Amino acid sequence: MSTAHTPDRPEDGRDDDPQDRAPEHGHAPGHDQDDRAGYKTDADAGSVDERDEADAPAVDPAAENAEGGEPAARVELPEEQQGEQEIPTFDLTLQIRRYNPEVSDEVHWDEFKLTMYGTDRVLDALHKVKWEIDGSLSFRRSCAHGVCGSDAMRINGQNRLACKVLLKDLDLSKPVTVEPIKGLPCEKDLIVDMEPFFQSYREIMPFLVAGGNEPTMERYQSQEDRARFDDTTKCILCAACTSSCPVFWTDGQYFGPAAIVNAHRFIFDSRDDAGDLRLEILNDKEGVWRCRTTFNCTEACPRGIQVTKAIAEVKNAILSRSM
Amino acid sequence: MSTPLKASISVPRSKDLEVNGVKYNRSSSRRNNFEMYAWLFMRLSGVVLLVLVFVHLWVNLVSPEGGVEAVDFAFVAGKWASPFWQVFDMLLLWLAMLHGTNGLRVIIDDYAERDRTRFWLKVFLFTTSAFVILLGTLVIFTFEPCPAGADPALLASFCAAG
């Protein structure tokens, strides 16, 4: 059910189509970029399919929501996958930036020739290298399904989650390059020290500060008030945005998009009382005013958060508070 | 038992930590509105400069008879005899210089990696900007349109009358 196939998707008899079944990797591939629809996990796979069937005549929400559309598949896969037919395979060259301070301070690139399947992601290629070719390769991954935010890396020069990039969407005529994210100190291979990133996150106080009368049950909030900061609740702290920001690359002193997004989530929360304090923190020399609106962060966010817009809203909030 | 309010919340900010040239914490906690006003100034002065610059170009290069060839000492003297053009040119000078200086200050902050490099580049930048602004302002207000003993052919027409 990749976008390329969507128009021809049979509305029933889906079971004949092995590509269309919730694949072994969990989520339906067509919904990789469907961030607006909220969180989806493996457990939701059933309901996702139901919803799809109900919505089938309407426009595909994935196509509607994905900013700029999903990348077109660059590898032609047969349109119809009948019954016993195998999933198509293709060859690719994977270049990985290697660094191991215990062996050498030099950085080098390793090249691997792999044969992968049409349903595989960059993370599967990394697994194949680690499990079958070179066990010394190090990278982080936890859930492997785009929720935990552990495997942000620079794939073909763009910050992406390795578990959300399908190999067939990449240009396989050239080698696929994988590097650690920039701006944070590299510890080994694709693993960076996230401490400066989390330090900024801690500084904006990413927790609810609510005073007044303590309610006996939950704190109520209208749907409109909840919708005000809905976009910024989606952050998974993968650091793809912060490490794509050229201002952060300079000296790492800038708070960074991720910290501002998470401050935004509480500043615009009607239940929170510490908005002024967070605005004051972000009115720093290294705060929101260092944003140059290059939109790298918005482009990098695997959750589709409008990061630059959120930063602009925080700028406006600081301005209107001071004027 | 309510949550403590603003005053008692301290921002977690541990001491400066630097490992292999990477600063793990922000080195300063300067809290004032300077960066905000600088940001606002860039936007507002940019809009005003768009008008000023194009009026300036039109008046100096397009509207005079003979176009760009017509600009000479007499033309400038004639313009600065009017307080309107004095104020106009001073506004243009100040806004353009401050806008440009702040832009370069931001570029230095973004591209210079060491604090010492930043400091010296900014010293150089601010000195030259202050020099140009002061010199320009001085010229606008002390300009002598009819210097004694000059060739009358080069001067503005009103010099002959006086």
Side-chain angles (χ1 to χ4, degrees), chain B residues 84-101:
Chain B
F84 172 80
W85 288 115
Q86 279 188 331
V87 171
F88 183 97
D89 281 3
M90 192 188 69
L91 200 62
L92 181 60
L93 171 78
W94 279 66
L95 286 182
M97 284 305 295
L98 292 178
H99 188 94
T101 305

Side-chain angles (χ1 to χ4, degrees), chain A residues 27 35 39-42 121 123 127 139-153 160-164 181 194 197-198 201 233-240 262 302-303:
Chain A
H27 49 191
D35 304 308
Y39 294 106
K40 272 199 291 291
T41 58
D42 295 358
R121 308 151 299 164
L123 184 64
H127 278 154
F139 55 90
R140 283 198 186 101
R141 75 106 172 82
S142 303
C143 76
H145 295 91
V147 178
C148 71
S150 294
D151 61 350
M153 47 191 76
R160 294 284 181 269
L161 295 184
C163 56
K164 289 188 82 172
I181 46 179
M194 300 278 278
F197 171 81
F198 284 119
Y201 176 61
T233 61
K234 297 176 193 160
C235 179
I236 54 174
L237 294 171
C238 65
N262 285 281
R303 307 284 310 167

